[in-house]
Structure formats: structure tokens, C-alpha cells
Amino acid sequence: MQNHAYSRLGISGAGAAVPSPPSSPRRAWGRRASAKGGWSARASAGAGWGWGAARRVARAVLAALLRRQAVFLFAPLLYVAAMLLYMGSISLDSVPRIISRPAPGSVYRSPQLYARLRADMDADNATDALATVWRHAYRGGVWRPCISNNTNGLPESNGYIYIEANGGLNQQRTSICNAVAVAGFLNATLVIPNFHYHSIWRDPSKFSDIYDEDYFIQRLKNDVRVVDKVPEFIMERFGHNLSNAFNFKIKAWSPIQFYEDIVLPKLIEERLIRISPFANRLSFDAPPAVQRLRCLANFEALKFSKPITNISNILVSRMREKSVENNGKYVAVHLRFEEDMVAFSCCVFDGGDNEKKELDAAREKGWKGKFTRPGRVIRPGAIRMNGKCPLTPLEVGLMLRGMGFSNNTAIYLASGRIYKAEKNMSPLLEMFPLLQIKETLALDEELAPFKNFSSRMAAIDYSVCVHSEVFVTTQGGNFPHFLIGHRRYLYGGHAKTIKPDKRRLAILFDSPRIGWKSLKRQLFNMRAHSDVKGIEIKRANESVYTFPCPDCMCRSNKQEHSKSIVAR
């Protein structure tokens, strides 16, 4: 009975006097098989002694590992080894390949899209966007300009402020407006600003070459004293050399309080101070009195010189003649596709290795080491997806045709020298044969006095764009910001501007299956969104040059503030 119980547990040796402890279940299976004469005998019979010995060795190794619980360490290694052996026995030709596709909107494919949709685009040329583009007229009585006339006399001047404006045309414009605001706020006399010669713009023009100096002084006479030069009795104190005057180095976007607390005491002491350089040296967040003076300078006092005004009027007249089918209405496009802009963007277009070599050389020439310093990583695909790549002439054409502007729309292109113009301008001219630039509208002798002066040429572009029915901005910068604000000021609060969503455009122009109707529907929605955005009121801390219409800026407390300054 006792022996039978032992045999049921798989223990051999029924004649033992003292029963042994139960065997481990991990080892019992081998002995059970042996006791029954099954496994060892069958293995020997089927495969011979060698196969049985291999099994015994394997069992012994496994038992040793199990006893020491080392299987948890060796199992992953055994698995990896087995997989390597298995993969080594498979031909790589049978392994499926993983194809990596670029993210939507990361690759420049606009030429392929244009080639595919051109026939449908040409067949669909009936929409007249110029007649319907502005559906949201600005509501009367809501918008008021940020300027109100001052009829009070000016207190005694606290001294003279001389500034040096740096940058191009519109950065210099910022300097002038800020200088007027600071001078008025401090009850100082402003000397006509000097334009700093810049190595990029290379324009030696003076204030009177670009703006009507006499008009500027006369328009500001009730608000800010302006003189064309420092009086002799002041110059004598500094040895007739302005560089001897105390020069303030002011941080960008400084608050107006800094000028009152730091600059004013020195102005009263010295009677003449310099501020150089002077561009974005005044915060946009300023009291109404300061904002009013900025607006007065920008929208009323700054008028282009007579030569620039005359040639601009001629070009506007000729653009209206070109657009007689649209009642004299034309579209102005600010296109930033010059070589320096294309190079600075670090975007990849379709020029291949030659384009890369050219733009690498342009980057090194213009910004030595900026783009090649250690650790600098440039991802053109991410730049394009984020809407940071400048629109090409082809993409501008696709966008405008999709927004409903037919091929008989007259377009004025404000731009510098287009990168690879002969190649890149060709598709835009195919889509809009009536496209014009300064050089095609004006005679050579008419444009000759301005050709070697970048700021004067930019002033002509600015004037023609101001009077267009629609203004299209493609890249941002000072030029469109000033122009959008100026158009709001002239058109009762409505900028009439198309500012496309370039992130969305990148995806649309990279769509391999999109049809013309679908593309047009998306671009119509984008145009409508620009129309709604064009009538917005200024939000906090935004530029008064772009949004010249908050009610708070129409109430000037300049007189009260002037009294407090004089009292000090």
C-alpha cells in the first residue's frame, strides 16, 4: 500500500524503509517516464544512443539553470541569439521594405501641381474677384483715426534731440515717427533726422531726398518743434561737431518712462543730445499722447518728396489704364523672392545641386558663419510646413487664380530683383499677362533719377501699392506692416489686404490628388478670412503703424502732460 503510494508519486525504490520527501515537480517528469520504461527506451530505440545522450545533457543544463533561477538572466540572451540565427538563414530580398514618405507640406511641389491643373485653370476664367472680394464693408461710426488736431501753443523747449535713423526705408520711417513722439513727449526740439548709410541698402539719400521736408516741419508745428539744423550757439558748445554731443545708447523697445526719467534730465543739462542708432527704441505700449504723435508723423506729416510723388502718380495712372476692364481697379503684390531673402529662409525649392551651391554662397557672403556654426541644424521641410518659406512667383499666381482673380486682372508687383527671374517669373506671367513692375510701366529716362537709390525705389513701390484696390502681402516685414496700416487709415479702417495662411498653402500645394475645384474652394475661404481680418480693431501691444484706429488714441492728454514736464 505504501509502495503503491510512492509509485503514484513517481518515486522508485519501493523497498525503502523510511519514505523520502516528495520530489520536486520540476524533476519528477523525467523519472516518471523512466519508471514506466517509456521515454528513455523509446528515445534509444528511435534515434540511438547519441540522441538520448543529447537529451540528458540538455536536461541536466536546464535543471542546473532552473535550480539557480538563472533562466531569468539567460532567457533574453538565448532569445536574441535564436533570432539572429533565424534571420541569418533568410534572404534579405524577401524582407519587406519600409518606405519613408515626407510629411504633407514639407516638399516644394508647386510646379507639378501647376502643370497638372493648368488646363482646368485656363478653362475656368469667369470669376471676377475684384468686384466681389470685399464683402465685409467696415461699419460706419466704429472706426476713428488716431489723430486729433492740437490748437494749443507749445511750451518752451527743453533742448534739441538729434537722431540717426538706421535700416531701410520703412525702418527709417519707424525711427522718424518714434523721434517725433519722444521729442513731443519731452517738450524737445527735433532736428531733422540723419539717415545712416547701410552696407546692405547702400543708399546715401538724405531726408529731403525721400520726404517733403518743408511739409513735415509745417504739419508738426502745433505739436512738435522741428528744425533742419542745430543752431550755431548750441554747436559752439560742442566745437561745431555733433559727434561731441552726449550720445545715448538706448535698448530696443524701451518704455517712454525711461526717456522721462533718464533722458530728460541729461537733455536739460546738455541742451543737445544724440541718440544713435535709433529705430525700434520705443515700446509700442505707450500712453495715448505718445501714440497720437506717432500717428500724426506717420500718416499726416510724412509725405514723399515731389519727384517721388510725381513719378508715383504717373505709374498709378498707367496701372488704372491697364485695368480699364475692371474699372481702374488693380491688385498690388509685395513679393519677397530676392536672392538674399531666398537664401536667408534656408528653404529648398527645385534648383537641385546648383541652387544649393548658389544659396550656400549667398548665405556665407551675407551672414558669414551664421548658418554654418557648430550645432546649427537646418530643416527645410519643417521651415516650409511652418509657413516660413517665401512664396514663389508661381505660388502667388496659383493662389490668386484660385481666389478668383481672372487672367485679365492687372497686377503691380512690388519687389527687388527676383531670384532667377527669367525662370521663376515665367509661370506668373502666363497666369497674369497684364502684370507690371516699375521698369515696365515707366520709361527709362523717367526712372533714371531713382534707379541707384534703393530707398527711393521702395518709396515708389509703396505709393503705387497704397492706391491699389487689393494689396497682397506674401512674407511680412516693415513694408507690408506700414502699408496695411496706411491703407486702413485711408479707407476708413478697412485694410483691403490679402494675407495668406502659408501653413495651409504649403499643404494645399503639396497635395498630389487635389483637383482645381477643391483647391479653388479652399482658397476662396482663405480670401474671405483675409477680408474679415482686414477690419479688425487694434489689440493690446500691437503696432499703431499697422492698427491706427483705437478710440483711446483719439483723446490726447498732451497739454496736461506738457505742463507736468515744464513744472519739473
Side-chain angles (χ1 to χ4, degrees):
M1 215 33 209
Q2 197 175 25
N3 289 345
H4 180 66
Y6 293 155
S7 66
R8 281 197 318 185
L9 290 172
I11 300 176
S12 178
V18 180
S20 300
S23 299
S24 168
R26 290 175 297 177
R27 301 175 60 189
W29 63 273
R31 278 197 290 247
R32 281 199 303 268
S34 298
K36 293 178 182 180
W39 288 355
S40 295
R42 284 195 299 271
S44 298
W49 182 86
W51 177 248
R55 275 186 172 275
R56 285 194 296 275
V57 170
R59 284 201 299 272
V61 171
L62 182 60
L65 290 175
L66 289 172
R67 276 197 302 273
R68 292 167 177 78
Q69 295 185 349
V71 68
F72 299 108
L73 297 176
F74 284 96
L77 297 177
L78 293 173
Y79 175 76
V80 172
M83 289 300 297
L84 290 175
L85 289 173
Y86 173 72
M87 292 299 294
S89 65
I90 299 177
S91 173
L92 292 178
D93 293 337
S94 62
V95 177
R97 297 180 181 179
I98 300 175
I99 300 174
S100 177
R101 300 185 185 277
S106 63
V107 180
Y108 176 68
R109 292 196 178 97
S110 301
Q112 294 88 328
L113 181 69
Y114 174 56
R116 185 165 59 80
L117 299 183
R118 185 178 176 185
D120 293 335
M121 180 194 303
D122 291 341
D124 179 23
N125 195 42
T127 309
D128 184 11
L130 276 172
T132 61
V133 65
W134 305 126
R135 297 181 179 180
H136 296 83
Y138 202 90
R139 290 173 293 177
V142 177
W143 183 88
R144 288 192 297 161
C146 56
I147 297 172
S148 58
N149 292 324
N150 181 32
T151 57
N152 303 302
L154 294 173
E156 182 181 352
S157 174
N158 286 322
Y160 294 82
I161 295 179
Y162 174 81
I163 72 152
E164 290 186 356
N166 58 307
L169 175 72
N170 293 287
Q171 195 169 0
Q172 290 171 348
R173 194 179 186 106
T174 303
S175 299
I176 297 166
C177 299
N178 287 346
V180 169
V182 168
F185 187 79
L186 300 181
N187 286 322
T189 301
L190 178 66
V191 182
I192 287 289
N194 178 53
F195 290 167
H196 177 67
Y197 181 83
H198 199 282
S199 58
I200 294 180
W201 287 275
R202 297 177 182 176
D203 190 338
S205 298
K206 295 180 172 57
F207 186 97
S208 58
D209 294 322
I210 299 175
Y211 300 105
D212 189 329
E213 188 174 297
D214 293 336
Y215 181 85
F216 182 75
I217 295 173
Q218 181 66 22
R219 184 65 183 85
L220 292 173
K221 69 178 183 179
N222 293 330
D223 297 270
V224 182
R225 288 187 180 89
V226 183
V227 296
D228 59 352
K229 61 181 180 180
V230 180
E232 274 303 306
F233 74 92
I234 296 288
M235 290 298 295
E236 286 177 0
R237 294 184 55 197
F238 301 97
H240 295 277
N241 188 348
L242 281 170
S243 62
N244 292 332
F246 184 85
N247 184 42
F248 271 100
K249 295 291 185 180
I250 298 176
K251 292 182 180 179
W253 315 113
S254 292
I256 194 64
Q257 197 63 40
F258 172 85
Y259 289 89
E260 184 172 350
D261 295 342
I262 306 299
V263 176
L264 180 60
K266 195 70 175 178
L267 172 66
I268 294 173
E269 176 189 343
E270 296 285 331
R271 301 296 295 169
L272 170 65
I273 61 168
R274 293 172 58 219
I275 307 178
S276 177
F278 189 82
N280 299 319
R281 294 297 187 270
L282 180 60
S283 170
F284 285 137
D285 185 14
V290 175
Q291 303 288 51
R292 173 186 167 276
L293 289 174
R294 278 171 151 167
C295 285
L296 179 63
N298 188 44
F299 301 112
E300 293 290 338
L302 282 177
K303 186 170 75 171
F304 289 122
S305 63
K306 289 181 180 177
I308 292 176
T309 301
N310 290 339
I311 186 65
S312 299
N313 289 339
I314 291 171
L315 299 191
V316 169
S317 176
R318 290 174 184 170
M319 280 304 302
R320 287 171 175 163
E321 291 173 3
K322 298 283 185 183
S323 55
V324 65
E325 291 187 19
N326 289 301
N327 298 317
K329 297 177 180 179
Y330 61 92
V331 176
V333 177
H334 182 227
L335 179 63
R336 295 303 311 275
F337 205 69
E338 303 89 349
E339 183 179 75
D340 61 338
M341 173 56 69
V342 176
F344 187 82
S345 72
C346 295
C347 298
V348 173
F349 296 92
D350 61 348
D353 291 339
N354 288 336
E355 177 188 284
K356 184 179 185 307
K357 291 176 183 177
E358 289 177 1
L359 297 182
D360 283 345
R363 279 188 281 269
E364 190 59 27
K365 179 181 178 182
W367 305 273
K368 292 183 179 179
K370 179 179 177 69
F371 297 96
T372 56
R373 67 174 180 260
R376 179 71 184 259
V377 178
I378 298 173
R379 297 184 176 89
I383 297 171
R384 183 170 297 282
M385 290 169 64
N386 286 331
K388 301 298 183 182
C389 289
L391 292 182
T392 66
L394 184 151
E395 288 174 326
V396 170
L398 273 174
M399 178 185 74
L400 292 178
R401 287 297 297 272
M403 288 182 174
F405 295 95
S406 62
N407 65 0
N408 68 345
T409 302
I411 292 181
Y412 180 82
L413 197 68
S415 175
R417 182 173 294 178
I418 300 295
Y419 174 62
K420 292 190 174 180
E422 186 174 350
K423 171 193 172 186
N424 289 319
M425 286 297 295
S426 178
L428 180 57
L429 288 168
E430 289 172 353
M431 287 182 269
F432 294 98
L434 298 181
L435 183 140
Q436 303 291 328
I437 57 176
K438 294 183 294 292
E439 289 77 5
T440 58
L441 276 179
L443 302 175
D444 290 340
E445 56 269 25
E446 291 174 326
L447 213 53
F450 312 97
K451 271 199 169 179
N452 295 323
F453 303 95
S454 60
S455 291
R456 300 183 207 182
M457 294 285 273
I460 295 171
D461 277 341
Y462 187 99
S463 300
V464 180
C465 289
V466 160
H467 296 289
S468 64
E469 176 67 14
V470 180
F471 173 63
V472 181
T473 174
T474 63
Q475 187 63 16
N478 287 322
F479 184 97
H481 288 165
F482 269 102
L483 199 57
I484 290 169
H486 207 146
R487 290 168 61 82
R488 277 195 174 101
Y489 186 80
L490 291 176
Y491 300 130
H494 200 312
K496 297 188 175 183
T497 300
I498 291 176
K499 189 175 181 181
D501 180 351
K502 294 204 293 180
R503 287 193 180 108
R504 183 63 185 154
L505 283 181
I507 295 174
L508 289 175
F509 292 159
D510 188 23
S511 302
R513 296 183 180 85
I514 194 168
W516 173 243
K517 289 183 179 179
S518 178
L519 178 66
K520 190 173 181 179
R521 183 172 61 253
Q522 302 262 14
L523 292 173
F524 258 74
N525 291 336
M526 193 178 295
R527 189 191 80 181
H529 183 68
S530 289
D531 184 22
V532 173
K533 295 283 284 185
I535 59 174
E536 285 182 329
I537 298 289
K538 177 182 179 294
R539 295 177 292 274
N541 296 329
E542 286 188 301
S543 169
V544 69
Y545 307 123
T546 306
F547 290 91
C549 48
D551 290 343
C552 64
M553 294 180 189
C554 302
R555 299 186 297 272
S556 172
N557 58 355
K558 180 180 185 298
Q559 184 180 4
E560 289 75 10
H561 183 79
S562 298
K563 291 178 181 177
S564 68
I565 293 289
V566 173
R568 291 184 56 180

